[in-house]
Amino acid sequence: MNNINLLDKNNNFNILLAGIIGLFIGVGVARFAYTSLLPSMLDDKTLSLTFSGVLASTNYVGYLLGALFAVFIKDIDTKVKYFRLGLVLCVVSTAMMGVATQDMWLIVSRIIAGFGGAMALVVGAAIVMVKLNFEDKTKAMGIYFSGIAIALAVSDIIARLVLTIDTWQVSWLALALSAALVAPYSWYILSTDQKIQANNINHSLDKNLFSRFVIILIVAYFTAGVGMVVQGTFLPTIIQSLPGLESFAGFTWLLVGLAGIPSSIIWMRLAHKYGNVNIIIIAMIIQIIGILIPTLSSNLYLNLLSGILYGGTFVGLVALFMHLGGKLAGKNPVMLMGALTTAYGIGQVSAPLYAVTLTDQSGNYNQALYVTAIIVFSGVIMLLATKIFNIKHLHP
C-alpha cells in the first residue's frame, strides 16, 4: 500500500482536502455558525429579530463585495495572497463575535466574515480548479462543493457541543480556535509553484458571453440566492417557533448539513445525464417544497424533511449553476462566475431584510416563506421559458 504524502501540494486528494478545509473556515465557521447560534443569541435577548436580519444581510454585503473583488484578481499568486487573507479574516471575525459587546462591533465582524468567506469560497474554488490535475474536473469540483455541506455540519456540531456546556459566546471562540488550528493546511497546500504559473493565462472580457440565456441564468441564480438565505439564516429559529418542535431546531440544522454532503455529486451526475437546466429546474422546485413545509404543518417529520430538502438542494444548486457557468464561459470563467456569484449575493443581502420585516409584522415566519417561495418559483418560470422558447446560449 502506497503511503499518502499529505504535504504534496500537487496531489489531487490534498488539494480537495485543503479546499474543503477552506470551506469549513470560510463557509461553515464564518457564515453558517451564525445560523446554529442564532436561536441562543435571540433567547437571551442579545439580539432582536430585526437586528439578527441586519447582521445576516451585512454578512452578505461583505460576501458580495468580496465576490465582486474576486472577479478582478487575475493572476494566481495574487489569488493565493487573498485566499490566505480570507482565512485570517474568518478566524479573527469569528473570535470577535464571541467577545463583542456592542452592536457596531457585531456588524463589523459580520462584514469582515462575509469578505473573508468570499475569499475562501470564490477565490479558493478558483485555486482548487487551477491546481487539480484532471482531464475532466467536473466530478472533482462536485466533491469540492460538497465541502460546503460538510463545513455546515462540522461547524454546527462544534457549536452545539460547546453550547451544551457553556454559552454561545464561548461557542464562537471555540469555532475560531477550530478554524485557526486547521487553517495552516489550506494555507500551505493551496499555494503556487512553477507548474501552475505555466498554465496561468489572463483572458480579456468577452461581452458576447452575456447572451439572453446567460442573463436569464444570472437572474435565476439571484432567485436561488433568495431561496438559500431565508432558511439558511432562520431555519432553526423557524423550527423553534413551531409548537412542540422547540427541542428539534438544532437537529434539523444538522440534517441540512448531512443531506447536503452527497447532494452536489448526485445533482452533477443527474445534470450530466439529463441536462443542466432540466436538473436545476427540478432542484429549485424541490427547494420550494422545502421552503413551504413549515407554513403548512408543525408535524415533526415533515419539518425534518424540510431541512433535508433544503440541505439536499442549496449546495447542489451552487454546484449546478457554477458548473454550467464555467462550461458556458469556456476559457474565461472568472467574469461569468463573478456575475453569477454577484446575483446570488444580491439575493442573499435582500432576503433577510424582508424576512424580518414581514415576520415582525405578522408574528410568524409564514409570510416571509411565502414571498421566498414565489421568488424562487419566478426563477423556475424563467428557466422553463428558455426550454419553451428554445433560448440557447448563442452569441448575440
Side-chain angles (χ1 to χ4, degrees):
M1 188 175 160
N2 291 332
N3 288 328
I4 298 171
N5 177 10
L6 286 171
L7 297 179
D8 179 357
K9 290 185 184 182
N10 297 307
N11 177 286
N12 285 327
F13 175 83
N14 297 351
I15 293 164
L16 284 171
L17 177 61
I20 290 169
I21 288 170
L23 291 176
F24 164 70
I25 296 163
V27 182
V29 170
R31 163 63 196 101
F32 280 120
Y34 180 70
T35 307
S36 298
L37 294 171
L38 183 57
S40 300
M41 295 173 82
L42 289 169
D43 280 350
D44 75 359
K45 303 289 188 285
T46 302
L47 302 182
S48 66
L49 181 65
T50 304
F51 189 60
S52 76
V54 171
L55 282 183
S57 284
T58 53
N59 181 248
Y60 287 118
V61 168
Y63 181 84
L64 181 55
L65 291 171
L68 283 167
F69 180 73
V71 172
F72 300 100
I73 306 174
K74 294 291 185 239
D75 70 283
I76 192 82
D77 281 330
T78 314
K79 281 189 172 82
V80 168
K81 282 174 193 164
Y82 279 102
F83 173 73
R84 289 174 168 179
L85 173 66
L87 296 178
V88 173
L89 292 178
C90 289
V91 172
V92 170
S93 60
T94 304
M96 279 175 71
M97 288 297 287
V99 296
T101 52
Q102 292 179 312
D103 288 355
M104 187 65 212
W105 286 113
L106 290 172
I107 289 172
V108 169
S109 164
R110 296 317 287 156
I111 291 174
I112 293 170
F115 186 86
M119 295 301 103
L121 173 58
V122 182
V123 180
I127 297 168
V128 169
M129 190 86 170
V130 169
K131 287 204 70 163
L132 282 173
N133 184 26
F134 285 115
E135 195 61 44
D136 178 14
K137 298 184 182 183
T138 306
K139 284 180 186 169
M141 289 310 284
I143 294 166
Y144 169 75
F145 282 118
S146 72
I148 294 172
I150 295 168
L152 186 158
V154 174
S155 64
D156 181 67
I157 290 166
I158 293 167
R160 257 166 232 302
L161 279 174
V162 178
L163 267 182
T164 58
I165 53 171
D166 219 311
T167 62
W168 59 261
Q169 287 96 335
V170 177
S171 276
W172 279 114
L173 295 173
L175 285 159
L177 178 62
S178 305
L181 289 173
V182 293
Y185 188 74
S186 295
W187 181 293
Y188 174 75
I189 296 291
L190 298 182
S191 57
T192 56
D193 55 29
Q194 291 307 112
K195 228 165 127 183
I196 295 175
Q197 289 175 1
N199 299 328
N200 185 40
I201 305 163
N202 287 333
H203 298 280
S204 58
L205 169 61
D206 178 8
K207 290 191 177 69
N208 289 336
L209 197 59
F210 292 90
S211 62
R212 273 193 304 167
F213 176 81
V214 166
I215 290 164
I216 290 170
L217 193 71
I218 290 167
V219 178
Y221 198 41
F222 158 80
T223 72
V226 171
M228 176 265 170
V229 79
V230 172
Q231 282 186 300
T233 303
F234 299 111
L235 184 63
T237 318
I238 293 167
I239 301 298
Q240 196 177 44
S241 72
L242 297 173
L245 301 190
E246 296 85 357
S247 59
F248 291 96
F251 182 60
T252 311
W253 188 243
L254 181 59
L255 277 181
V256 169
L258 296 176
I261 291 168
S263 70
S264 61
I265 299 164
I266 294 166
W267 286 118
M268 297 279 267
R269 282 189 179 172
L270 290 170
H272 183 68
K273 193 170 181 183
Y274 299 107
N276 280 286
V277 176
N278 295 332
I279 296 304
I280 288 172
I281 289 169
I282 290 167
M284 288 176 80
I285 290 169
I286 292 171
Q287 186 177 57
I288 292 166
I289 295 166
I291 289 165
L292 290 175
I293 285 173
T295 71
L296 302 170
S297 171
S298 56
N299 176 279
L300 170 61
Y301 298 107
L302 282 174
N303 279 281
L304 292 177
L305 177 65
S306 168
I308 291 167
L309 294 182
Y310 171 65
T313 52
F314 95 86
V315 183
L317 282 166
V318 171
L320 288 165
F321 273 96
M322 284 298 183
H323 174 59
L324 180 55
K327 261 173 63 175
L328 296 175
K331 291 182 178 176
N332 187 15
V334 175
M335 188 57 71
L336 182 46
M337 283 188 169
L340 282 166
T341 303
T342 302
Y344 195 74
I346 293 168
Q348 290 174 317
V349 169
S350 52
L353 298 177
Y354 77 70
V356 294
T357 304
L358 291 172
T359 303
D360 266 346
Q361 285 172 0
S362 64
N364 62 47
Y365 288 91
N366 288 1
Q367 287 184 14
L369 292 171
Y370 292 143
V371 170
T372 304
I374 290 165
I375 291 169
V376 179
F377 187 65
S378 72
V380 171
I381 297 297
M382 281 182 261
L383 290 171
L384 281 171
T386 69
K387 311 289 291 180
I388 294 163
F389 299 108
N390 203 26
I391 302 170
K392 291 180 179 169
H393 180 253
L394 300 169
H395 288 341

